[in-house]
Amino acid sequence: AQRVTQPEKLLSVFKGAPVELKCNYSYSGSPELFWYVQYSRQRLQLLLRHISRESIKGFTADLNKGETSFHLKKPFAQEEDSAMYYCALKRGQAGTALIFGKGTTLSVSS
Amino acid sequence: DAGVTQSPTHLIKTRGQQVTLRCSPKSGHDTVSWYQQALGQGPQFIFQYYEEEERQRGNFPDRFSGHQFPNYSSELNVNALLLGDSALYLCASSLRTGTWDTEAFFGQGTRLTVV
């Protein structure tokens, strides 16, 4: 079965500190992995897609197939990064659903 | 482009009633997916519509049904509402391009409360 696990419900850091939001998945095939973000009172939006290998707002994520992980990292957190972050998995073909983790709330304080 | 729009934004229904939620996809998108997000949980996939047919379904009972219209807009219907159906219902749209999908864009959601 496909499953996404985000072990931390809440991560609190100080501004300027490094951030790592953990995501582990279970899927036997070749998945697509995503990070979605939801800022306060805004809609869910795509932050990163592993196949694009981009860095968005200073965030990066590397797919580790050996450890079945897709952790989200940022070297220096900003207060505007405070939001809910969801890791999601999708089978690597058209017309398949996104499977979401339960989400991690990131709180960045000064 | 208004992006994905959902209506209504909030809804209160009584147990046993029926409800219809609506979604207009982002311009140029042809695929609509519906998700249920209970409080404190991540979105859970309900079903997906493409070319006016249900193409994939998650682990939801037959009380949940849908429809896609020729203009790609979609409806989610829930019959015989239960208290446990109270949740945020999200619509996402994307474009199917052969063997892969473009980025999924989400609407603001409809908050359904069953009393």
mmCIF file with all atom_site columns, all heavy atoms in Angstrom, chain B residues 44-68:
data_model
loop_
_atom_site.group_PDB
_atom_site.id
_atom_site.type_symbol
_atom_site.label_atom_id
_atom_site.label_alt_id
_atom_site.label_comp_id
_atom_site.label_asym_id
_atom_site.label_entity_id
_atom_site.label_seq_id
_atom_site.pdbx_PDB_ins_code
_atom_site.Cartn_x
_atom_site.Cartn_y
_atom_site.Cartn_z
_atom_site.occupancy
_atom_site.B_iso_or_equiv
_atom_site.pdbx_formal_charge
_atom_site.auth_seq_id
_atom_site.auth_comp_id
_atom_site.auth_asym_id
_atom_site.auth_atom_id
_atom_site.pdbx_PDB_model_num
ATOM 1   N N   . GLN B 1 44 ? -7.467  13.521 1.871   1.00 0.00 ? 44 GLN B N   1
ATOM 2   C CA  . GLN B 1 44 ? -7.642  12.128 1.445   1.00 0.00 ? 44 GLN B CA  1
ATOM 3   C C   . GLN B 1 44 ? -8.389  12.104 0.131   1.00 0.00 ? 44 GLN B C   1
ATOM 4   O O   . GLN B 1 44 ? -9.452  12.735 0.003   1.00 0.00 ? 44 GLN B O   1
ATOM 5   C CB  . GLN B 1 44 ? -8.459  11.378 2.494   1.00 0.00 ? 44 GLN B CB  1
ATOM 6   C CG  . GLN B 1 44 ? -7.638  10.655 3.537   1.00 0.00 ? 44 GLN B CG  1
ATOM 7   C CD  . GLN B 1 44 ? -8.467  9.583  4.219   1.00 0.00 ? 44 GLN B CD  1
ATOM 8   O OE1 . GLN B 1 44 ? -9.418  9.892  4.913   1.00 0.00 ? 44 GLN B OE1 1
ATOM 9   N NE2 . GLN B 1 44 ? -8.118  8.333  3.996   1.00 0.00 ? 44 GLN B NE2 1
ATOM 10  N N   . PHE B 1 45 ? -7.868  11.337 -0.809  1.00 0.00 ? 45 PHE B N   1
ATOM 11  C CA  . PHE B 1 45 ? -8.428  11.282 -2.160  1.00 0.00 ? 45 PHE B CA  1
ATOM 12  C C   . PHE B 1 45 ? -9.786  10.606 -2.162  1.00 0.00 ? 45 PHE B C   1
ATOM 13  O O   . PHE B 1 45 ? -9.945  9.500  -1.628  1.00 0.00 ? 45 PHE B O   1
ATOM 14  C CB  . PHE B 1 45 ? -7.446  10.517 -3.047  1.00 0.00 ? 45 PHE B CB  1
ATOM 15  C CG  . PHE B 1 45 ? -7.932  10.264 -4.439  1.00 0.00 ? 45 PHE B CG  1
ATOM 16  C CD1 . PHE B 1 45 ? -8.039  11.305 -5.358  1.00 0.00 ? 45 PHE B CD1 1
ATOM 17  C CD2 . PHE B 1 45 ? -8.263  8.985  -4.855  1.00 0.00 ? 45 PHE B CD2 1
ATOM 18  C CE1 . PHE B 1 45 ? -8.467  11.069 -6.647  1.00 0.00 ? 45 PHE B CE1 1
ATOM 19  C CE2 . PHE B 1 45 ? -8.699  8.747  -6.150  1.00 0.00 ? 45 PHE B CE2 1
ATOM 20  C CZ  . PHE B 1 45 ? -8.800  9.789  -7.049  1.00 0.00 ? 45 PHE B CZ  1
ATOM 21  N N   . ILE B 1 46 ? -10.760 11.277 -2.801  1.00 0.00 ? 46 ILE B N   1
ATOM 22  C CA  . ILE B 1 46 ? -12.102 10.697 -2.931  1.00 0.00 ? 46 ILE B CA  1
ATOM 23  C C   . ILE B 1 46 ? -12.241 10.052 -4.318  1.00 0.00 ? 46 ILE B C   1
ATOM 24  O O   . ILE B 1 46 ? -12.482 8.849  -4.432  1.00 0.00 ? 46 ILE B O   1
ATOM 25  C CB  . ILE B 1 46 ? -13.210 11.756 -2.728  1.00 0.00 ? 46 ILE B CB  1
ATOM 26  C CG1 . ILE B 1 46 ? -13.052 12.429 -1.365  1.00 0.00 ? 46 ILE B CG1 1
ATOM 27  C CG2 . ILE B 1 46 ? -14.589 11.106 -2.872  1.00 0.00 ? 46 ILE B CG2 1
ATOM 28  C CD1 . ILE B 1 46 ? -14.019 13.583 -1.133  1.00 0.00 ? 46 ILE B CD1 1
ATOM 29  N N   . PHE B 1 47 ? -12.162 10.861 -5.362  1.00 0.00 ? 47 PHE B N   1
ATOM 30  C CA  . PHE B 1 47 ? -12.179 10.351 -6.739  1.00 0.00 ? 47 PHE B CA  1
ATOM 31  C C   . PHE B 1 47 ? -11.675 11.406 -7.704  1.00 0.00 ? 47 PHE B C   1
ATOM 32  O O   . PHE B 1 47 ? -11.475 12.560 -7.343  1.00 0.00 ? 47 PHE B O   1
ATOM 33  C CB  . PHE B 1 47 ? -13.557 9.839  -7.175  1.00 0.00 ? 47 PHE B CB  1
ATOM 34  C CG  . PHE B 1 47 ? -14.742 10.687 -6.795  1.00 0.00 ? 47 PHE B CG  1
ATOM 35  C CD1 . PHE B 1 47 ? -14.800 12.037 -7.110  1.00 0.00 ? 47 PHE B CD1 1
ATOM 36  C CD2 . PHE B 1 47 ? -15.820 10.117 -6.138  1.00 0.00 ? 47 PHE B CD2 1
ATOM 37  C CE1 . PHE B 1 47 ? -15.887 12.802 -6.761  1.00 0.00 ? 47 PHE B CE1 1
ATOM 38  C CE2 . PHE B 1 47 ? -16.932 10.876 -5.785  1.00 0.00 ? 47 PHE B CE2 1
ATOM 39  C CZ  . PHE B 1 47 ? -16.961 12.219 -6.088  1.00 0.00 ? 47 PHE B CZ  1
ATOM 40  N N   . GLN B 1 48 ? -11.468 10.935 -8.949  1.00 0.00 ? 48 GLN B N   1
ATOM 41  C CA  . GLN B 1 48 ? -10.964 11.804 -10.008 1.00 0.00 ? 48 GLN B CA  1
ATOM 42  C C   . GLN B 1 48 ? -11.832 11.655 -11.251 1.00 0.00 ? 48 GLN B C   1
ATOM 43  O O   . GLN B 1 48 ? -12.223 10.540 -11.605 1.00 0.00 ? 48 GLN B O   1
ATOM 44  C CB  . GLN B 1 48 ? -9.519  11.444 -10.355 1.00 0.00 ? 48 GLN B CB  1
ATOM 45  C CG  . GLN B 1 48 ? -8.891  12.339 -11.413 1.00 0.00 ? 48 GLN B CG  1
ATOM 46  C CD  . GLN B 1 48 ? -7.476  11.913 -11.768 1.00 0.00 ? 48 GLN B CD  1
ATOM 47  O OE1 . GLN B 1 48 ? -7.255  11.074 -12.624 1.00 0.00 ? 48 GLN B OE1 1
ATOM 48  N NE2 . GLN B 1 48 ? -6.506  12.500 -11.087 1.00 0.00 ? 48 GLN B NE2 1
ATOM 49  N N   . TYR B 1 49 ? -12.091 12.784 -11.912 1.00 0.00 ? 49 TYR B N   1
ATOM 50  C CA  . TYR B 1 49 ? -12.866 12.782 -13.146 1.00 0.00 ? 49 TYR B CA  1
ATOM 51  C C   . TYR B 1 49 ? -12.024 13.295 -14.312 1.00 0.00 ? 49 TYR B C   1
ATOM 52  O O   . TYR B 1 49 ? -11.314 14.294 -14.184 1.00 0.00 ? 49 TYR B O   1
ATOM 53  C CB  . TYR B 1 49 ? -14.120 13.650 -12.996 1.00 0.00 ? 49 TYR B CB  1
ATOM 54  C CG  . TYR B 1 49 ? -15.238 12.894 -12.346 1.00 0.00 ? 49 TYR B CG  1
ATOM 55  C CD1 . TYR B 1 49 ? -15.320 12.790 -10.963 1.00 0.00 ? 49 TYR B CD1 1
ATOM 56  C CD2 . TYR B 1 49 ? -16.186 12.228 -13.110 1.00 0.00 ? 49 TYR B CD2 1
ATOM 57  C CE1 . TYR B 1 49 ? -16.317 12.063 -10.363 1.00 0.00 ? 49 TYR B CE1 1
ATOM 58  C CE2 . TYR B 1 49 ? -17.193 11.496 -12.515 1.00 0.00 ? 49 TYR B CE2 1
ATOM 59  C CZ  . TYR B 1 49 ? -17.251 11.418 -11.140 1.00 0.00 ? 49 TYR B CZ  1
ATOM 60  O OH  . TYR B 1 49 ? -18.248 10.689 -10.550 1.00 0.00 ? 49 TYR B OH  1
ATOM 61  N N   . TYR B 1 50 ? -12.149 12.581 -15.410 1.00 0.00 ? 50 TYR B N   1
ATOM 62  C CA  . TYR B 1 50 ? -11.465 12.963 -16.645 1.00 0.00 ? 50 TYR B CA  1
ATOM 63  C C   . TYR B 1 50 ? -12.355 12.533 -17.795 1.00 0.00 ? 50 TYR B C   1
ATOM 64  O O   . TYR B 1 50 ? -12.889 11.418 -17.796 1.00 0.00 ? 50 TYR B O   1
ATOM 65  C CB  . TYR B 1 50 ? -10.095 12.272 -16.716 1.00 0.00 ? 50 TYR B CB  1
ATOM 66  C CG  . TYR B 1 50 ? -9.365  12.423 -18.026 1.00 0.00 ? 50 TYR B CG  1
ATOM 67  C CD1 . TYR B 1 50 ? -8.880  13.653 -18.447 1.00 0.00 ? 50 TYR B CD1 1
ATOM 68  C CD2 . TYR B 1 50 ? -9.150  11.311 -18.850 1.00 0.00 ? 50 TYR B CD2 1
ATOM 69  C CE1 . TYR B 1 50 ? -8.215  13.790 -19.651 1.00 0.00 ? 50 TYR B CE1 1
ATOM 70  C CE2 . TYR B 1 50 ? -8.481  11.443 -20.061 1.00 0.00 ? 50 TYR B CE2 1
ATOM 71  C CZ  . TYR B 1 50 ? -8.021  12.685 -20.451 1.00 0.00 ? 50 TYR B CZ  1
ATOM 72  O OH  . TYR B 1 50 ? -7.364  12.822 -21.642 1.00 0.00 ? 50 TYR B OH  1
ATOM 73  N N   . GLU B 1 51 ? -12.536 13.395 -18.767 1.00 0.00 ? 51 GLU B N   1
ATOM 74  C CA  . GLU B 1 51 ? -13.418 13.121 -19.908 1.00 0.00 ? 51 GLU B CA  1
ATOM 75  C C   . GLU B 1 51 ? -14.800 12.669 -19.439 1.00 0.00 ? 51 GLU B C   1
ATOM 76  O O   . GLU B 1 51 ? -15.370 11.697 -19.954 1.00 0.00 ? 51 GLU B O   1
ATOM 77  C CB  . GLU B 1 51 ? -12.785 12.079 -20.842 1.00 0.00 ? 51 GLU B CB  1
ATOM 78  C CG  . GLU B 1 51 ? -11.565 12.623 -21.569 1.00 0.00 ? 51 GLU B CG  1
ATOM 79  C CD  . GLU B 1 51 ? -10.993 11.663 -22.609 1.00 0.00 ? 51 GLU B CD  1
ATOM 80  O OE1 . GLU B 1 51 ? -11.186 10.439 -22.474 1.00 0.00 ? 51 GLU B OE1 1
ATOM 81  O OE2 . GLU B 1 51 ? -10.345 12.156 -23.546 1.00 0.00 ? 51 GLU B OE2 1
ATOM 82  N N   . GLU B 1 52 ? -15.292 13.350 -18.409 1.00 0.00 ? 52 GLU B N   1
ATOM 83  C CA  . GLU B 1 52 ? -16.647 13.163 -17.870 1.00 0.00 ? 52 GLU B CA  1
ATOM 84  C C   . GLU B 1 52 ? -16.880 11.784 -17.248 1.00 0.00 ? 52 GLU B C   1
ATOM 85  O O   . GLU B 1 52 ? -18.018 11.393 -17.021 1.00 0.00 ? 52 GLU B O   1
ATOM 86  C CB  . GLU B 1 52 ? -17.690 13.446 -18.962 1.00 0.00 ? 52 GLU B CB  1
ATOM 87  C CG  . GLU B 1 52 ? -17.611 14.854 -19.526 1.00 0.00 ? 52 GLU B CG  1
ATOM 88  C CD  . GLU B 1 52 ? -18.625 15.122 -20.623 1.00 0.00 ? 52 GLU B CD  1
ATOM 89  O OE1 . GLU B 1 52 ? -19.814 14.815 -20.420 1.00 0.00 ? 52 GLU B OE1 1
ATOM 90  O OE2 . GLU B 1 52 ? -18.218 15.623 -21.682 1.00 0.00 ? 52 GLU B OE2 1
ATOM 91  N N   . GLU B 1 53 ? -15.806 11.073 -16.956 1.00 0.00 ? 53 GLU B N   1
ATOM 92  C CA  . GLU B 1 53 ? -15.963 9.763  -16.320 1.00 0.00 ? 53 GLU B CA  1
ATOM 93  C C   . GLU B 1 53 ? -15.111 9.685  -15.049 1.00 0.00 ? 53 GLU B C   1
ATOM 94  O O   . GLU B 1 53 ? -14.021 10.285 -14.980 1.00 0.00 ? 53 GLU B O   1
ATOM 95  C CB  . GLU B 1 53 ? -15.520 8.644  -17.272 1.00 0.00 ? 53 GLU B CB  1
ATOM 96  C CG  . GLU B 1 53 ? -16.478 8.412  -18.412 1.00 0.00 ? 53 GLU B CG  1
ATOM 97  C CD  . GLU B 1 53 ? -16.093 7.192  -19.231 1.00 0.00 ? 53 GLU B CD  1
ATOM 98  O OE1 . GLU B 1 53 ? -15.318 6.353  -18.728 1.00 0.00 ? 53 GLU B OE1 1
ATOM 99  O OE2 . GLU B 1 53 ? -16.570 7.081  -20.365 1.00 0.00 ? 53 GLU B OE2 1
ATOM 100 N N   . GLU B 1 54 ? -15.596 8.938  -14.081 1.00 0.00 ? 54 GLU B N   1
ATOM 101 C CA  . GLU B 1 54 ? -14.807 8.684  -12.880 1.00 0.00 ? 54 GLU B CA  1
ATOM 102 C C   . GLU B 1 54 ? -13.700 7.701  -13.256 1.00 0.00 ? 54 GLU B C   1
ATOM 103 O O   . GLU B 1 54 ? -13.958 6.582  -13.689 1.00 0.00 ? 54 GLU B O   1
ATOM 104 C CB  . GLU B 1 54 ? -15.683 8.083  -11.778 1.00 0.00 ? 54 GLU B CB  1
ATOM 105 C CG  . GLU B 1 54 ? -14.943 7.868  -10.473 1.00 0.00 ? 54 GLU B CG  1
ATOM 106 C CD  . GLU B 1 54 ? -15.806 7.174  -9.425  1.00 0.00 ? 54 GLU B CD  1
ATOM 107 O OE1 . GLU B 1 54 ? -16.788 7.775  -8.959  1.00 0.00 ? 54 GLU B OE1 1
ATOM 108 O OE2 . GLU B 1 54 ? -15.471 6.023  -9.071  1.00 0.00 ? 54 GLU B OE2 1
ATOM 109 N N   . ARG B 1 55 ? -12.457 8.129  -13.061 1.00 0.00 ? 55 ARG B N   1
ATOM 110 C CA  . ARG B 1 55 ? -11.326 7.332  -13.522 1.00 0.00 ? 55 ARG B CA  1
ATOM 111 C C   . ARG B 1 55 ? -10.640 6.581  -12.395 1.00 0.00 ? 55 ARG B C   1
ATOM 112 O O   . ARG B 1 55 ? -10.013 5.566  -12.625 1.00 0.00 ? 55 ARG B O   1
ATOM 113 C CB  . ARG B 1 55 ? -10.292 8.248  -14.194 1.00 0.00 ? 55 ARG B CB  1
ATOM 114 C CG  . ARG B 1 55 ? -10.832 8.932  -15.426 1.00 0.00 ? 55 ARG B CG  1
ATOM 115 C CD  . ARG B 1 55 ? -11.092 7.978  -16.555 1.00 0.00 ? 55 ARG B CD  1
ATOM 116 N NE  . ARG B 1 55 ? -11.646 8.630  -17.719 1.00 0.00 ? 55 ARG B NE  1
ATOM 117 C CZ  . ARG B 1 55 ? -11.660 8.104  -18.931 1.00 0.00 ? 55 ARG B CZ  1
ATOM 118 N NH1 . ARG B 1 55 ? -11.131 6.899  -19.129 1.00 0.00 ? 55 ARG B NH1 1
ATOM 119 N NH2 . ARG B 1 55 ? -12.197 8.771  -19.929 1.00 0.00 ? 55 ARG B NH2 1
ATOM 120 N N   . GLN B 1 56 ? -10.705 7.129  -11.204 1.00 0.00 ? 56 GLN B N   1
ATOM 121 C CA  . GLN B 1 56 ? -10.056 6.486  -10.074 1.00 0.00 ? 56 GLN B CA  1
ATOM 122 C C   . GLN B 1 56 ? -10.826 6.884  -8.826  1.00 0.00 ? 56 GLN B C   1
ATOM 123 O O   . GLN B 1 56 ? -11.372 7.988  -8.754  1.00 0.00 ? 56 GLN B O   1
ATOM 124 C CB  . GLN B 1 56 ? -8.602  6.951  -9.964  1.00 0.00 ? 56 GLN B CB  1
ATOM 125 C CG  . GLN B 1 56 ? -7.777  6.128  -8.987  1.00 0.00 ? 56 GLN B CG  1
ATOM 126 C CD  . GLN B 1 56 ? -6.354  6.612  -8.861  1.00 0.00 ? 56 GLN B CD  1
ATOM 127 O OE1 . GLN B 1 56 ? -5.989  7.644  -9.403  1.00 0.00 ? 56 GLN B OE1 1
ATOM 128 N NE2 . GLN B 1 56 ? -5.542  5.882  -8.124  1.00 0.00 ? 56 GLN B NE2 1
ATOM 129 N N   . ARG B 1 57 ? -10.874 5.954  -7.866  1.00 0.00 ? 57 ARG B N   1
ATOM 130 C CA  . ARG B 1 57 ? -11.646 6.215  -6.663  1.00 0.00 ? 57 ARG B CA  1
ATOM 131 C C   . ARG B 1 57 ? -10.853 5.798  -5.445  1.00 0.00 ? 57 ARG B C   1
ATOM 132 O O   . ARG B 1 57 ? -10.178 4.763  -5.455  1.00 0.00 ? 57 ARG B O   1
ATOM 133 C CB  . ARG B 1 57 ? -12.966 5.430  -6.713  1.00 0.00 ? 57 ARG B CB  1
ATOM 134 C CG  . ARG B 1 57 ? -13.935 5.792  -5.620  1.00 0.00 ? 57 ARG B CG  1
ATOM 135 C CD  . ARG B 1 57 ? -15.234 5.016  -5.742  1.00 0.00 ? 57 ARG B CD  1
ATOM 136 N NE  . ARG B 1 57 ? -16.174 5.451  -4.720  1.00 0.00 ? 57 ARG B NE  1
ATOM 137 C CZ  . ARG B 1 57 ? -17.077 6.400  -4.880  1.00 0.00 ? 57 ARG B CZ  1
ATOM 138 N NH1 . ARG B 1 57 ? -17.202 7.000  -6.052  1.00 0.00 ? 57 ARG B NH1 1
ATOM 139 N NH2 . ARG B 1 57 ? -17.885 6.751  -3.901  1.00 0.00 ? 57 ARG B NH2 1
ATOM 140 N N   . GLY B 1 58 ? -10.945 6.596  -4.406  1.00 0.00 ? 58 GLY B N   1
ATOM 141 C CA  . GLY B 1 58 ? -10.318 6.256  -3.133  1.00 0.00 ? 58 GLY B CA  1
ATOM 142 C C   . GLY B 1 58 ? -11.245 5.404  -2.292  1.00 0.00 ? 58 GLY B C   1
ATOM 143 O O   . GLY B 1 58 ? -12.287 4.929  -2.755  1.00 0.00 ? 58 GLY B O   1
ATOM 144 N N   . ASN B 1 59 ? -10.906 5.230  -1.037  1.00 0.00 ? 59 ASN B N   1
ATOM 145 C CA  . ASN B 1 59 ? -11.651 4.356  -0.144  1.00 0.00 ? 59 ASN B CA  1
ATOM 146 C C   . ASN B 1 59 ? -12.825 5.105  0.495   1.00 0.00 ? 59 ASN B C   1
ATOM 147 O O   . ASN B 1 59 ? -12.830 5.362  1.697   1.00 0.00 ? 59 ASN B O   1
ATOM 148 C CB  . ASN B 1 59 ? -10.703 3.803  0.924   1.00 0.00 ? 59 ASN B CB  1
ATOM 149 C CG  . ASN B 1 59 ? -11.350 2.709  1.727   1.00 0.00 ? 59 ASN B CG  1
ATOM 150 O OD1 . ASN B 1 59 ? -12.289 2.076  1.268   1.00 0.00 ? 59 ASN B OD1 1
ATOM 151 N ND2 . ASN B 1 59 ? -10.863 2.498  2.930   1.00 0.00 ? 59 ASN B ND2 1
ATOM 152 N N   . PHE B 1 60 ? -13.806 5.466  -0.314  1.00 0.00 ? 60 PHE B N   1
ATOM 153 C CA  . PHE B 1 60 ? -14.995 6.164  0.164   1.00 0.00 ? 60 PHE B CA  1
ATOM 154 C C   . PHE B 1 60 ? -16.237 5.401  -0.269  1.00 0.00 ? 60 PHE B C   1
ATOM 155 O O   . PHE B 1 60 ? -16.261 4.801  -1.343  1.00 0.00 ? 60 PHE B O   1
ATOM 156 C CB  . PHE B 1 60 ? -15.032 7.602  -0.397  1.00 0.00 ? 60 PHE B CB  1
ATOM 157 C CG  . PHE B 1 60 ? -14.163 8.550  0.373   1.00 0.00 ? 60 PHE B CG  1
ATOM 158 C CD1 . PHE B 1 60 ? -12.799 8.601  0.152   1.00 0.00 ? 60 PHE B CD1 1
ATOM 159 C CD2 . PHE B 1 60 ? -14.699 9.390  1.329   1.00 0.00 ? 60 PHE B CD2 1
ATOM 160 C CE1 . PHE B 1 60 ? -11.986 9.450  0.867   1.00 0.00 ? 60 PHE B CE1 1
ATOM 161 C CE2 . PHE B 1 60 ? -13.900 10.263 2.056   1.00 0.00 ? 60 PHE B CE2 1
ATOM 162 C CZ  . PHE B 1 60 ? -12.537 10.292 1.821   1.00 0.00 ? 60 PHE B CZ  1
ATOM 163 N N   . PRO B 1 61 ? -17.278 5.418  0.564   1.00 0.00 ? 61 PRO B N   1
ATOM 164 C CA  . PRO B 1 61 ? -18.499 4.653  0.247   1.00 0.00 ? 61 PRO B CA  1
ATOM 165 C C   . PRO B 1 61 ? -19.250 5.255  -0.938  1.00 0.00 ? 61 PRO B C   1
ATOM 166 O O   . PRO B 1 61 ? -18.983 6.385  -1.360  1.00 0.00 ? 61 PRO B O   1
ATOM 167 C CB  . PRO B 1 61 ? -19.325 4.758  1.535   1.00 0.00 ? 61 PRO B CB  1
ATOM 168 C CG  . PRO B 1 61 ? -18.840 6.014  2.194   1.00 0.00 ? 61 PRO B CG  1
ATOM 169 C CD  . PRO B 1 61 ? -17.387 6.118  1.859   1.00 0.00 ? 61 PRO B CD  1
ATOM 170 N N   . ASP B 1 62 ? -20.220 4.478  -1.429  1.00 0.00 ? 62 ASP B N   1
ATOM 171 C CA  . ASP B 1 62 ? -21.010 4.893  -2.582  1.00 0.00 ? 62 ASP B CA  1
ATOM 172 C C   . ASP B 1 62 ? -21.873 6.124  -2.311  1.00 0.00 ? 62 ASP B C   1
ATOM 173 O O   . ASP B 1 62 ? -22.428 6.704  -3.253  1.00 0.00 ? 62 ASP B O   1
ATOM 174 C CB  . ASP B 1 62 ? -21.930 3.740  -3.030  1.00 0.00 ? 62 ASP B CB  1
ATOM 175 C CG  . ASP B 1 62 ? -21.136 2.599  -3.606  1.00 0.00 ? 62 ASP B CG  1
ATOM 176 O OD1 . ASP B 1 62 ? -19.942 2.826  -3.916  1.00 0.00 ? 62 ASP B OD1 1
ATOM 177 O OD2 . ASP B 1 62 ? -21.681 1.494  -3.743  1.00 0.00 ? 62 ASP B OD2 1
ATOM 178 N N   . ARG B 1 63 ? -21.985 6.511  -1.056  1.00 0.00 ? 63 ARG B N   1
ATOM 179 C CA  . ARG B 1 63 ? -22.731 7.751  -0.739  1.00 0.00 ? 63 ARG B CA  1
ATOM 180 C C   . ARG B 1 63 ? -22.058 8.967  -1.388  1.00 0.00 ? 63 ARG B C   1
ATOM 181 O O   . ARG B 1 63 ? -22.699 10.003 -1.565  1.00 0.00 ? 63 ARG B O   1
ATOM 182 C CB  . ARG B 1 63 ? -22.772 7.973  0.779   1.00 0.00 ? 63 ARG B CB  1
ATOM 183 C CG  . ARG B 1 63 ? -23.494 6.926  1.570   1.00 0.00 ? 63 ARG B CG  1
ATOM 184 C CD  . ARG B 1 63 ? -23.618 7.330  3.040   1.00 0.00 ? 63 ARG B CD  1
ATOM 185 N NE  . ARG B 1 63 ? -22.333 7.495  3.716   1.00 0.00 ? 63 ARG B NE  1
ATOM 186 C CZ  . ARG B 1 63 ? -21.825 8.666  4.088   1.00 0.00 ? 63 ARG B CZ  1
ATOM 187 N NH1 . ARG B 1 63 ? -22.480 9.795  3.836   1.00 0.00 ? 63 ARG B NH1 1
ATOM 188 N NH2 . ARG B 1 63 ? -20.653 8.720  4.711   1.00 0.00 ? 63 ARG B NH2 1
ATOM 189 N N   . PHE B 1 64 ? -20.781 8.801  -1.685  1.00 0.00 ? 64 PHE B N   1
ATOM 190 C CA  . PHE B 1 64 ? -20.025 9.867  -2.346  1.00 0.00 ? 64 PHE B CA  1
ATOM 191 C C   . PHE B 1 64 ? -20.064 9.603  -3.848  1.00 0.00 ? 64 PHE B C   1
ATOM 192 O O   . PHE B 1 64 ? -19.631 8.536  -4.308  1.00 0.00 ? 64 PHE B O   1
ATOM 193 C CB  . PHE B 1 64 ? -18.579 9.892  -1.862  1.00 0.00 ? 64 PHE B CB  1
ATOM 194 C CG  . PHE B 1 64 ? -18.418 10.373 -0.450  1.00 0.00 ? 64 PHE B CG  1
ATOM 195 C CD1 . PHE B 1 64 ? -18.721 9.553  0.627   1.00 0.00 ? 64 PHE B CD1 1
ATOM 196 C CD2 . PHE B 1 64 ? -17.962 11.655 -0.192  1.00 0.00 ? 64 PHE B CD2 1
ATOM 197 C CE1 . PHE B 1 64 ? -18.579 9.999  1.928   1.00 0.00 ? 64 PHE B CE1 1
ATOM 198 C CE2 . PHE B 1 64 ? -17.806 12.118 1.108   1.00 0.00 ? 64 PHE B CE2 1
ATOM 199 C CZ  . PHE B 1 64 ? -18.127 11.282 2.173   1.00 0.00 ? 64 PHE B CZ  1
ATOM 200 N N   . SER B 1 65 ? -20.592 10.550 -4.594  1.00 0.00 ? 65 SER B N   1
ATOM 201 C CA  . SER B 1 65 ? -20.643 10.399 -6.039  1.00 0.00 ? 65 SER B CA  1
ATOM 202 C C   . SER B 1 65 ? -20.309 11.738 -6.672  1.00 0.00 ? 65 SER B C   1
ATOM 203 O O   . SER B 1 65 ? -20.293 12.774 -6.004  1.00 0.00 ? 65 SER B O   1
ATOM 204 C CB  . SER B 1 65 ? -22.026 9.927  -6.496  1.00 0.00 ? 65 SER B CB  1
ATOM 205 O OG  . SER B 1 65 ? -23.003 10.910 -6.169  1.00 0.00 ? 65 SER B OG  1
ATOM 206 N N   . GLY B 1 66 ? -20.053 11.689 -7.966  1.00 0.00 ? 66 GLY B N   1
ATOM 207 C CA  . GLY B 1 66 ? -19.664 12.934 -8.623  1.00 0.00 ? 66 GLY B CA  1
ATOM 208 C C   . GLY B 1 66 ? -20.091 12.981 -10.065 1.00 0.00 ? 66 GLY B C   1
ATOM 209 O O   . GLY B 1 66 ? -20.719 12.053 -10.592 1.00 0.00 ? 66 GLY B O   1
ATOM 210 N N   . HIS B 1 67 ? -19.710 14.082 -10.651 1.00 0.00 ? 67 HIS B N   1
ATOM 211 C CA  . HIS B 1 67 ? -20.051 14.280 -12.061 1.00 0.00 ? 67 HIS B CA  1
ATOM 212 C C   . HIS B 1 67 ? -19.077 15.293 -12.627 1.00 0.00 ? 67 HIS B C   1
ATOM 213 O O   . HIS B 1 67 ? -18.619 16.199 -11.913 1.00 0.00 ? 67 HIS B O   1
ATOM 214 C CB  . HIS B 1 67 ? -21.482 14.814 -12.166 1.00 0.00 ? 67 HIS B CB  1
ATOM 215 C CG  . HIS B 1 67 ? -22.004 14.829 -13.566 1.00 0.00 ? 67 HIS B CG  1
ATOM 216 N ND1 . HIS B 1 67 ? -22.452 13.708 -14.219 1.00 0.00 ? 67 HIS B ND1 1
ATOM 217 C CD2 . HIS B 1 67 ? -22.119 15.857 -14.452 1.00 0.00 ? 67 HIS B CD2 1
ATOM 218 C CE1 . HIS B 1 67 ? -22.831 14.042 -15.441 1.00 0.00 ? 67 HIS B CE1 1
ATOM 219 N NE2 . HIS B 1 67 ? -22.643 15.330 -15.608 1.00 0.00 ? 67 HIS B NE2 1
ATOM 220 N N   . GLN B 1 68 ? -18.747 15.128 -13.917 1.00 0.00 ? 68 GLN B N   1
ATOM 221 C CA  . GLN B 1 68 ? -17.976 16.155 -14.602 1.00 0.00 ? 68 GLN B CA  1
ATOM 222 C C   . GLN B 1 68 ? -18.747 16.569 -15.841 1.00 0.00 ? 68 GLN B C   1
ATOM 223 O O   . GLN B 1 68 ? -19.271 15.721 -16.571 1.00 0.00 ? 68 GLN B O   1
ATOM 224 C CB  . GLN B 1 68 ? -16.580 15.652 -15.005 1.00 0.00 ? 68 GLN B CB  1
ATOM 225 C CG  . GLN B 1 68 ? -15.720 16.766 -15.606 1.00 0.00 ? 68 GLN B CG  1
ATOM 226 C CD  . GLN B 1 68 ? -14.322 16.318 -15.991 1.00 0.00 ? 68 GLN B CD  1
ATOM 227 O OE1 . GLN B 1 68 ? -14.125 15.192 -16.429 1.00 0.00 ? 68 GLN B OE1 1
ATOM 228 N NE2 . GLN B 1 68 ? -13.356 17.204 -15.833 1.00 0.00 ? 68 GLN B NE2 1
#
